Amino acid sequence: MFFQRASLKPWNTFGIDVYANHVTIVHNVSSFFCNSRDNNIRQNEPVLLLGEGSNVLFLQDFQGKVFINRIKGIRFTETTHTWLLHVGAGENWHQLVKTTLYKGLAGLENLALIPGCVGSAPIQNIGAYGVELKQVCEYVDIIFLNDGSHQRLKATECCFGYRDSVFKHRYKNHYAITAVGFKLIKQWQPVLSYGALKMLNPKTVTPMQVFHAVCKIRRSKIPNPKYLGNAGSFFKNPLVTSPTAFDLLTLYPKIPYHLRSNGDVVLSAAGLIDQCELKGYRIGGAAVHDQQALVLINTGAASSQDIVNLARIIRRRVGEKFNIWLEPEVCFISAQGKIDSVEVIA
């Protein structure tokens, strides 16, 4: 399906009304190469791939072609100790989590209600409530748009880091993720290290109970973008050294944090913003959500500049108070493609 001079408002959860020269909805792997070749990618026309647009902020009209990935399909295979899944990149992430649980497969429940499609998950190395994608990912299939060649990257080749991967670096241009492979261990162990999940009994809890608990937490904090435009967590939780965290938490013990296996500490960006008393703070049509400081919302008529200005103030207030400079988790998109979000709000 192909549209010329199309609005991208339906394709970004912030609900920013910008336009693209072309929008193509892709339902199979071969369409990526055929459409990109026909659209003269070799002549350097900007290209952008979207799933559900749940992690982007459009700054202006996009002067190129947008591919909407809708490659579907879920295949299950079984080994003695694991379930193996091959999932089309256009599948909705939350629906995948529900499908696995309804089939009796555990392992994704902590990642419930993360917005977006499966193909976006490896790019960000999505994570929530003590679990990251890298713990369940086996491989990622990609296609190179310039020549139509395919490649399967093992999880170890994806260079997963905190909200980071090879897809933000080496493979960030002229490729498309077409499928993701998952490995779920049959001998399930609940991950209950985060917040309200600690209240669950690890000896009796079921994967479905963890799922419902995570959904309850997320729904209490993050508004549904169908009714209030947002991109979920706007900033990354900052990673700091133990000495830095110790000094900060001595002064501000209420800031939530999480210890990583290497000794570093992940501080709650929401906690830092809370300490700056910015919940409900508003610029134009953009505001800090009054239930979750990490979520910036479009109250109905926000421009992208409103959101940028709000993010800039948040970053400056947190930086001046704590000497910790937040980085956006959301991708900023200019007329020519992705740009450095930190430079925009610095």
Side-chain angles (χ1 to χ4, degrees):
M1 193 176 296
F2 171 78
F3 306 94
Q4 279 192 309
R5 189 58 184 167
S7 172
L8 293 173
K9 189 172 183 178
W11 306 111
N12 74 99
T13 58
F14 259 125
I16 302 298
D17 193 15
V18 293
Y19 284 76
N21 288 352
H22 312 275
V23 174
T24 300
I25 302 175
V26 178
H27 295 280
N28 55 68
V29 176
S30 60
S31 294
F32 267 124
F33 176 53
C34 293
N35 281 285
S36 61
R37 177 191 59 201
D38 294 343
N39 207 55
N40 299 317
I41 283 181
R42 293 189 182 90
Q43 296 181 15
N44 296 319
E45 181 182 32
V47 173
L48 179 67
L49 282 82
L50 289 179
E52 295 180 356
S54 60
N55 197 50
V56 297
L57 175 62
F58 286 102
L59 303 182
Q60 51 200 166
D61 290 346
F62 185 68
Q63 303 299 317
K65 183 164 187 173
V66 175
F67 289 117
I68 308 296
N69 191 332
R70 288 296 177 267
I71 298 174
K72 299 294 185 72
I74 305 174
R75 297 201 307 266
F76 300 87
T77 55
E78 183 179 5
T79 70
T80 303
H81 302 292
T82 63
W83 287 99
L84 303 176
L85 285 66
H86 179 89
V87 185
E91 292 282 352
N92 176 270
W93 176 263
H94 183 62
Q95 285 300 128
L96 171 65
V97 175
K98 290 202 295 185
T99 297
T100 57
L101 289 170
Y102 290 152
K103 288 182 174 291
L105 284 61
L108 301 181
E109 57 282 340
N110 290 55
L111 303 175
L113 273 182
I114 292 179
C117 288
V118 168
S120 303
I123 300 173
Q124 288 289 106
N125 183 27
I126 60 170
Y129 307 106
V131 175
E132 290 184 318
L133 180 90
K134 68 178 182 180
Q135 296 167 244
V136 293
C137 180
E138 186 179 25
Y139 60 80
V140 178
D141 286 347
I142 63 175
I143 181 173
F144 292 94
L145 302 181
N146 287 331
D147 60 12
S149 62
H150 299 254
Q151 186 174 351
R152 171 165 293 182
L153 298 176
K154 298 178 182 178
T156 53
E157 297 175 289
C158 294
C159 301
F160 290 126
Y162 178 66
R163 301 298 175 268
D164 196 22
S165 71
V166 72
F167 306 107
K168 287 188 173 183
H169 306 285
R170 179 181 175 187
Y171 292 108
K172 68 179 181 179
N173 294 318
H174 295 311
Y175 79 94
I177 293 176
T178 57
V180 180
F182 297 89
K183 179 186 288 187
L184 304 180
I185 307 299
K186 290 182 177 179
Q187 191 171 353
W188 178 71
Q189 294 291 328
V191 179
L192 307 175
S193 58
Y194 187 96
L197 297 185
K198 294 178 181 179
M199 304 298 292
L200 300 175
N201 187 338
K203 296 181 180 179
T204 61
V205 71
T206 67
M208 192 63 78
Q209 288 172 332
V210 175
F211 169 81
H212 287 304
V214 169
C215 289
K216 183 178 180 180
I217 296 169
R218 291 188 70 90
R219 287 184 174 125
S220 71
K221 295 181 178 181
I222 302 177
N224 188 330
K226 292 181 180 179
Y227 309 108
L228 199 60
N230 71 92
S233 299
F234 193 90
F235 292 101
K236 298 177 184 178
N237 290 322
L239 187 66
V240 300
T241 63
S242 293
T244 298
F246 178 82
D247 292 342
L248 182 65
L249 295 170
T250 299
L251 295 173
Y252 303 97
K254 292 184 178 181
I255 295 176
Y257 66 93
H258 176 72
L259 293 173
R260 292 181 69 87
S261 58
N262 64 356
D264 287 342
V265 179
V266 179
L267 296 174
S268 166
L272 296 171
I273 298 168
D274 273 340
Q275 289 291 325
C276 296
E277 300 181 346
L278 286 169
K279 276 184 179 175
Y281 189 89
R282 180 168 179 163
I283 292 183
V288 180
H289 188 44
D290 57 10
Q291 297 298 315
Q292 169 54 274
L294 199 53
V295 176
L296 307 190
I297 58 173
N298 178 354
T299 63
S303 67
S304 55
Q305 193 59 51
D306 289 340
I307 298 169
V308 167
N309 291 340
L310 179 60
R312 183 179 292 122
I313 287 176
I314 293 168
R315 185 173 190 267
R316 188 180 71 236
R317 294 273 187 92
V318 171
E320 290 173 349
K321 188 177 182 72
F322 303 111
N323 196 30
I324 292 175
W325 299 89
L326 299 178
E327 298 182 6
E329 184 173 322
V330 173
C331 297
F332 285 22
I333 311 296
S334 72
Q336 297 296 310
K338 296 179 183 178
I339 59 174
D340 189 323
S341 57
V342 173
E343 289 186 2
V344 174
I345 65 172

